[in-house]
């Protein structure tokens, strides 16, 4: 399963000190850029769609701020109960709203 091809970049604020930015580099591969408050950064190249889907699902279910071209979810946004358990269910919520 692929993340919608229109999504090219997703940013997740995991904590005040760690921000992940997921950047699409091909149809199914991504680079993860991790920025830390101290100024350090780290890159993980050629990560699969499945990993990015898991990270976005985890961020959503952990009430983290998420933003990209197609949607934005604030950290304090109301989340659905029960939480989504898979990418398809989450994608429908993010792309079209509750």
């Amino acid at each position: 399963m692929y993340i919608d091809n229109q999504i090219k970049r997703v940013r997740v604020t995991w904590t005040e000190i760690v921000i992940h930015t997921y950047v699409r580099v091909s149809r199914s591969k991504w680079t993860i850029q991790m920025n830390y408050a101290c100024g350090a950064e780290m890159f993980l190249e050629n990560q699969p769609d499945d990993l990015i889907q898991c990270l976005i699902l985890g961020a959503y279910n952990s009430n983290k701020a998420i933003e990209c071209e197609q949607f934005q979810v604030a950290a304090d946004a109301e989340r659905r109960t029960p939480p989504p358990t898979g990418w398809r269910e989450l994608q429908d919520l993010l792309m079209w709203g509750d």
Side-chain angles (χ1 to χ4, degrees), residues 4-86:
D4 185 306
N5 282 332
Q6 294 178 350
I7 298 174
K8 306 289 185 208
R9 181 184 179 100
V10 180
R11 180 177 167 156
V12 176
T13 304
W14 282 98
T15 68
E16 297 77 26
I17 62 166
V18 181
I19 297 174
H20 287 186
T21 304
Y22 312 130
V23 180
R24 183 189 297 278
V25 294
S26 72
R27 177 164 166 71
S28 62
K29 296 294 181 180
W30 297 73
T31 293
I32 302 174
Q33 178 181 350
M34 293 169 272
N35 295 90
Y36 300 90
C38 65
E41 62 183 5
M42 185 172 78
F43 294 88
L44 297 174
E45 305 287 341
N46 295 314
Q47 299 304 304
D49 254 356
D50 290 349
L51 175 60
I52 303 305
Q53 290 174 11
C54 288
L55 291 170
I56 294 171
L57 179 63
Y60 181 86
N61 288 337
S62 299
N63 293 336
K64 302 303 178 192
I66 306 169
E67 55 188 86
C68 81
E69 305 96 326
Q70 305 298 357
F71 59 83
Q72 185 167 347
V73 181
D76 61 356
E78 188 175 321
R79 303 303 207 269
R80 195 176 102 182
T81 304
T85 58

